Amino acid sequence: MPTARSRTPSASSPSRTRAVRARELVSEAPIADTSVDERVYAAVSKALLSGKLRPGTPLRERALADALGCTRGAVRKVLARLGTEKKLVLEHNRGAFVPNPSIEDMRGIYRARRIVEAGVVATLFGQLSREQGAALRKHVQVEQRAFKEGRREDAIRLAGEFHLLLARMTHSEELLSYLQRLIANTELYKALYDAAEAASCAPREHGQIIEALSGPSLARALAVSLEHLDELEQRVIAGAAAAQQAPDLASLFAPGP
């Protein structure tokens, strides 16, 4: 009489080998796909935050796939992700475009940021632990290094992450998620319209916010935080207004000396 053990397929049986190999392939595929997706995502995001892609520029799948050495499917997934993050505009049957927001649209986003971040400051005022304060100051040092080394896209990203770090300290996932969407917009506005030399203000202003959060006056902390956003908005709006102005044809075609 055969025993229960003899009916069990051996470790080397063809069916078991195929099953093991199938599991290996399934586990391997997402890793490879994720690696390509992240590489493409990082490349397109870097181009956006460096200001090299101008408002309204179309991003064609085939051209990006050829440039980045990947499939159109990988590009399509990344463009969809950036569209969800509001870093690109996706138009049905037309494709993906670098946003070309109106000045009123930008003012609306900054207005929302001021409201949300005033709440963050009010929540954190006088409540930062020593460890939280140290983490914020360390982040500002990393920002400063990026500016000094001329890494504009990293500097813009890190400036946004400073505000997200503050939001995480409130322990509200809903607030953090909303602020992430707002900052994705304003990071792009900054890349498109803010002067590179003006960006160096961010680490200094962030340092002032940290000090104000530990200071004696909530009113002062709110004023420092909102002033920082006001100044950024003014620079971005001024840059956008200048970019939208039609050229002075008389000056453009005036005969030279």
Side-chain angles (χ1 to χ4, degrees):
M1 178 181 295
T3 65
R5 181 173 181 175
S6 67
R7 291 196 300 268
T8 303
S10 67
S12 59
S13 67
S15 60
R16 181 173 179 82
T17 300
R18 286 195 297 270
V20 169
R21 183 56 184 153
R23 286 196 296 271
E24 289 174 350
L25 290 172
V26 169
S27 64
E28 289 169 4
I31 295 173
D33 289 344
T34 300
S35 175
V36 172
D37 291 351
E38 291 305 317
R39 176 173 64 81
V40 175
Y41 177 83
V44 179
S45 295
K46 182 175 181 178
L48 285 166
L49 293 182
S50 68
K52 295 176 182 177
L53 295 173
R54 305 312 302 160
T57 301
L59 299 181
R60 305 302 184 199
E61 289 179 8
R62 184 182 298 280
L64 281 174
D66 290 344
L68 296 171
C70 65
T71 65
R72 291 181 66 179
V75 170
R76 191 175 301 118
K77 284 194 288 185
V78 167
L79 295 182
R81 176 179 170 184
L82 290 166
T84 300
E85 295 174 356
K86 306 301 182 184
K87 293 178 181 175
L88 291 178
V89 174
L90 305 182
E91 296 187 10
H92 184 61
N93 291 332
R94 293 196 65 224
F97 298 83
V98 177
N100 189 13
S102 70
I103 287 177
E104 193 52 43
D105 288 339
M106 290 189 287
R107 289 194 186 282
I109 294 295
Y110 280 108
R111 188 180 307 120
R113 270 197 68 176
R114 280 194 294 273
I115 293 169
V116 171
E117 296 200 40
V120 171
V121 168
T123 300
L124 296 180
F125 178 75
Q127 301 298 317
L128 289 180
S129 67
R130 180 178 301 177
E131 292 76 15
Q132 288 173 325
L136 290 167
R137 284 188 286 273
K138 182 178 180 180
H139 186 92
V140 170
Q141 291 173 356
V142 175
E143 280 187 72
Q144 186 67 57
R145 191 178 311 125
F147 283 117
K148 287 183 176 179
E149 294 174 358
R151 293 181 283 117
R152 176 175 166 79
E153 62 275 9
D154 288 339
I156 291 174
R157 175 181 54 79
L158 288 164
E161 287 180 0
F162 172 82
H163 296 270
L164 294 178
L165 182 56
L166 286 173
R168 286 189 182 93
M169 292 176 180
T170 69
H171 304 294
S172 170
E173 289 300 320
E174 291 78 7
L175 183 146
L176 176 61
S177 177
Y178 183 52
L179 189 57
Q180 283 173 327
R181 294 196 296 273
L182 295 176
I183 287 177
N185 286 115
T186 55
E187 280 181 344
L188 188 57
Y189 301 161
K190 185 178 178 68
L192 293 173
Y193 300 119
D194 195 16
E197 59 273 13
S200 61
C201 300
R204 184 183 71 250
E205 293 169 359
H206 290 165
Q208 292 170 351
I209 291 171
I210 297 169
E211 294 306 315
L213 284 170
S214 303
S217 168
L218 173 58
R220 170 62 180 162
L222 288 169
V224 169
S225 178
L226 297 181
E227 223 172 80
H228 169 59
L229 290 175
D230 288 344
E231 289 178 5
L232 176 56
E233 179 183 0
Q234 289 167 13
R235 293 199 310 266
V236 166
I237 295 300
Q244 293 174 12
Q245 286 179 352
D248 182 351
L249 296 181
S251 299
L252 185 66
F253 293 105

